[in-house]
Amino acid sequence: MQQVVHDPDRMRALVNEARAAGQRVGFVPTMGALHAGHTSLVAQAARECDRVAVSIFVNPMQFGPQEDFSRYPRTLAADTALLAAHDVDWIYAPEVSDVYPPGDATRIVVGGPAVLFEGERRPGHFDGVATVVCKLFLAVPADTAYFGAKDWQQTLVVKRLVCDLGLPIRIIVCPTMREPDGLAMSSRNAYLSVADRPRAVGLSKSLHRAAGLWSAGADTATIEQAMRETLSAHGVVVDYAALADPESLEPVPDDAARAVALVAGRLGSTRLIDNMELPARVTPQRDTKR
Ligand code: PAF
């Protein structure tokens, strides 16, 4: 029987009790408005763990002042109904005041992989993510937490956070789930107008174009230009379209063997992101004699 838990102390006690009884606990942190991308994380957690917790909390700290915090979909009843069909033991849905008590004044500030891309465009976003993820891990002290590769940069930030603070939790990154036309599943897809929805496929198309050129040995500038062209051809206003090192997100040299392609763009007032890790390629040896 699924239980909705609002109180962090109660949540922590339930998870600790299960672990003390030798059960492995998996945790899927979300902001709700659940879709098949989220349930794929739940399914993986259920395959690998004995008990599963899902958090639903729209975290005010990770939204900028001009962003969509107030209109972000809050659908707890529908989310609970959806999760009833999945192997979920606990839905953790705290109040804002449980997560950020009166007088709250503590933040986690992340550097490294948090600096570029979303970090540049959304100042403070990853500090808000890292702070809430840390608080969620304290309330849900699971063995393993599951995150979607759709938010590639977020997964790097969370791994950095866990490593730097020595948090006793294993992070698993699960594949992006896509609509039949290739659009990455996201709660924000619901904002797209009927006219913009077909244009949104430009994001995944630009990533496939990058993958083709990359495998053919094209240089970084050519690939990034092609990604921008594909986005623009679909009416997506480009925010960024770049190749980066999959772990550090630093720029990649032309002869890099590994890269992730990252895109962000706008359709009307909707901002979407997507990414694709490119297949490792054999590159010519650098001439070390001279
Ligand atoms: O990916 C999300 O839904 C959120 O950023 C997360 C990890 C639940 C933190 O609020």
Side-chain angles (χ1 to χ4, degrees):
M1 182 62 188
Q2 210 163 76
Q3 230 179 314
V4 178
V5 182
H6 299 286
D7 177 45
D9 295 333
R10 171 91 186 116
M11 187 67 248
R12 191 177 312 110
L14 287 165
V15 173
N16 282 338
E17 208 176 290
R19 292 190 66 188
Q23 296 182 321
R24 281 164 307 161
V25 176
F27 176 36
V28 181
T30 83
M31 295 206 299
L34 302 180
H35 49 67
H38 296 111
T39 54
S40 73
L41 304 179
V42 169
Q44 185 157 344
R47 278 195 301 276
E48 297 178 357
C49 303
D50 303 302
R51 310 295 291 273
V52 175
V54 175
S55 66
I56 295 180
F57 178 66
V58 183
N59 173 34
M61 292 307 154
Q62 69 188 77
F63 291 80
Q66 309 303 325
E67 295 184 9
D68 55 342
F69 174 66
S70 55
R71 74 163 172 153
Y72 198 86
R74 285 154 174 89
T75 55
L76 184 60
D79 292 343
T80 308
L82 177 69
L83 292 176
H86 292 80
D87 288 326
V88 172
D89 297 277
W90 307 294
I91 297 171
Y92 175 49
E95 295 296 330
V96 171
S97 58
D98 291 322
V99 179
Y100 300 103
D104 153 72
T106 304
R107 292 289 170 273
I108 293 176
V109 177
V110 194
V115 173
L116 300 172
F117 301 108
E118 294 303 292
E120 270 179 329
R121 272 89 184 169
R122 304 181 65 190
H125 168 66
F126 285 124
D127 297 344
V129 169
T131 302
V132 82
V133 165
C134 194
K135 287 167 179 268
L136 292 170
F137 286 173
L138 286 169
V140 187
D143 295 87
T144 309
Y146 296 82
F147 291 83
K150 150 81 173 39
D151 296 301
W152 185 271
Q153 191 171 8
Q154 172 172 275
T155 67
L156 298 177
V157 169
V158 170
K159 286 193 231 172
R160 191 70 261 164
L161 167 80
V162 165
C163 176
D164 291 350
L165 298 189
L167 302 178
I169 193 162
R170 196 164 62 109
I171 303 300
I172 302 285
V173 178
C174 307
T176 301
M177 298 300 284
R178 295 183 179 279
E179 302 291 352
D181 69 353
L183 176 65
M185 290 188 184
S186 162
S187 305
R188 290 189 167 102
N189 293 350
Y191 299 154
L192 289 166
S193 68
V194 173
D196 282 338
R197 171 61 189 84
R199 298 181 184 127
V201 75
L203 280 93
S204 62
K205 286 247 164 80
S206 73
L207 297 172
H208 283 290
R209 183 137 184 237
L213 288 165
W214 164 265
S215 298
D219 60 60
T220 302
T222 303
I223 298 172
E224 292 181 345
Q225 178 59 25
M227 289 161 77
R228 280 194 291 272
E229 280 167 14
T230 306
L231 288 164
S232 301
H234 285 81
V236 179
V237 179
V238 184
D239 198 343
Y240 56 77
L243 297 191
D245 179 272
E247 263 87 49
S248 67
L249 294 190
E250 293 293 330
V252 286
D254 286 336
D255 61 355
R258 295 187 61 219
V260 60
L262 301 154
V263 288
R266 280 178 200 281
L267 283 159
S269 60
T270 308
R271 183 173 184 276
L272 298 176
I273 60 172
D274 199 355
N275 68 78
M276 185 185 284
E277 190 173 13
L278 303 176
R281 65 179 182 182
V282 180
T283 54
Q285 293 291 311
R286 283 185 205 211
D287 187 352
T288 51
K289 286 193 194 124
R290 271 177 269 166

